[in-house]
Amino acid sequence: MAEIRLLTIVCDPILTETSGHIHDRLHQYWGHKFPRGGLDPAAASFASTLYLASRQHMHFVHRTMEMHEAWPYFKDGTQIDEQAFLSQDFAERTATALAHGMGDIDRILVEHDVYRKAREGEINEVWLWGCYEAFGWPESLMVGESPFFLNGPSLKVTGVPNFAVMGGDYMTTQSDFLHMFGHRVECAVYHHLYGDQGGNVFGNVFTPRVPPQDAWDQYRLSRGYLAGADPN
């Protein structure tokens, strides 16, 4: 049994006068029922779901939560612009994140002192809650001394034990979270069996070769996937 010490960081920016919704939070602007004090009830619910889905392997022994009230940054150093963000539709927001190199998760982790907390054993799992795709966050990634592909680009940080980061949305449901967790497990199993073989790791994990060249290809094909198909 793995004892999980979870930190949930809720990225819920406070809006300014540029949006006409001064002092509202982003979740309020969209009309989502999101607790003002954070995500504790939802985090408890999702933790229970993963405990059962992992056959009691992931045991959440401690949960903490912190609020992140500023607009996050992209990897190129650009901070998300409130007015532009609110005027875009979903496709435009995700395209903007891609154009700027995706979200700067390292910056958020540094601002919340996550690396020290991980080194000292305070936490070993992080959930980022916000608009994960529009903020440029993957469903999950691994951070630490020797990270590997976990359905998102790994983030190497010297002297920090490996831990997983999962991205979430204000509207994420139990089934959404299990979907994300399933891909995380697939990537972990692939790494355990085959290691990092270089090249297109995403393609290696999710897109089987036809005809199959190893047991993993056979597994993916048995699930009904065809080469080049959408893995989701």
Side-chain angles (χ1 to χ4, degrees):
M1 178 183 294
E3 294 191 344
I4 307 299
R5 292 173 293 281
L6 171 66
L7 169 62
T8 301
I9 300 174
V10 182
C11 188
D12 196 15
I14 299 175
L15 306 185
T16 67
E17 64 275 4
T18 61
S19 67
H21 291 261
I22 187 169
H23 301 316
D24 280 358
R25 290 179 179 271
L26 184 58
H27 84 273
Q28 295 169 317
Y29 176 83
W30 277 330
H32 300 320
K33 294 181 179 179
F34 195 69
R36 169 63 180 87
L39 191 69
D40 195 63
S45 177
F46 291 148
S48 297
T49 297
L50 293 193
Y51 174 70
L52 296 174
S54 65
R55 295 179 180 267
Q56 293 80 51
H57 178 71
M58 296 182 70
H59 180 49
F60 289 80
V61 296
H62 186 65
R63 291 181 291 106
T64 55
M65 186 202 65
E66 298 178 7
M67 298 296 294
H68 188 87
E69 298 179 336
W71 286 94
Y73 284 77
F74 296 124
K75 285 184 179 178
D76 67 357
T78 302
Q79 188 174 24
I80 293 177
D81 179 82
E82 176 182 311
Q83 193 168 10
F85 184 89
L86 297 178
S87 68
Q88 294 174 327
D89 61 24
F90 177 78
E92 291 170 331
R93 292 187 190 108
T94 53
T96 298
L98 184 62
H100 288 281
M102 304 303 286
D104 190 350
I105 291 176
D106 175 66
R107 186 178 189 129
I108 294 176
L109 299 181
V110 168
E111 289 179 4
H112 288 266
D113 200 21
V114 170
Y115 299 143
R116 178 196 61 78
K117 294 171 183 173
R119 280 194 300 267
E120 296 180 3
E122 293 180 24
I123 60 100
N124 58 8
E125 173 107 2
V126 174
W127 293 354
L128 294 179
W129 233 255
C131 304
Y132 75 100
E133 291 177 300
F135 288 168
W137 304 340
E139 292 181 354
S140 58
L141 75 154
M142 183 171 287
V143 180
E145 180 74 46
S146 55
F148 55 84
F149 179 82
L150 204 65
N151 203 19
S154 58
L155 178 57
K156 182 175 176 58
V157 183
T158 303
V160 173
N162 291 349
F163 63 91
V165 176
M166 295 191 69
D169 191 277
Y170 307 134
M171 297 180 290
T172 296
T173 64
Q174 298 279 4
S175 59
D176 294 330
F177 207 66
L178 281 175
H179 167 97
M180 296 156 61
F181 181 68
H183 285 319
R184 169 179 166 180
V185 171
E186 284 180 306
C187 294
V189 171
Y190 180 89
H191 177 81
H192 177 73
L193 293 174
Y194 299 102
D196 289 331
Q197 297 185 3
N200 180 11
V201 182
F202 181 91
N204 292 346
V205 174
F206 293 117
T207 306
R209 293 162 292 189
V210 180
Q213 298 179 30
D214 56 30
W216 191 263
D217 288 339
Q218 292 175 335
Y219 157 70
R220 297 302 295 181
L221 288 169
S222 72
R223 296 287 304 278
Y225 293 107
L226 297 176
D230 183 347
N232 296 309

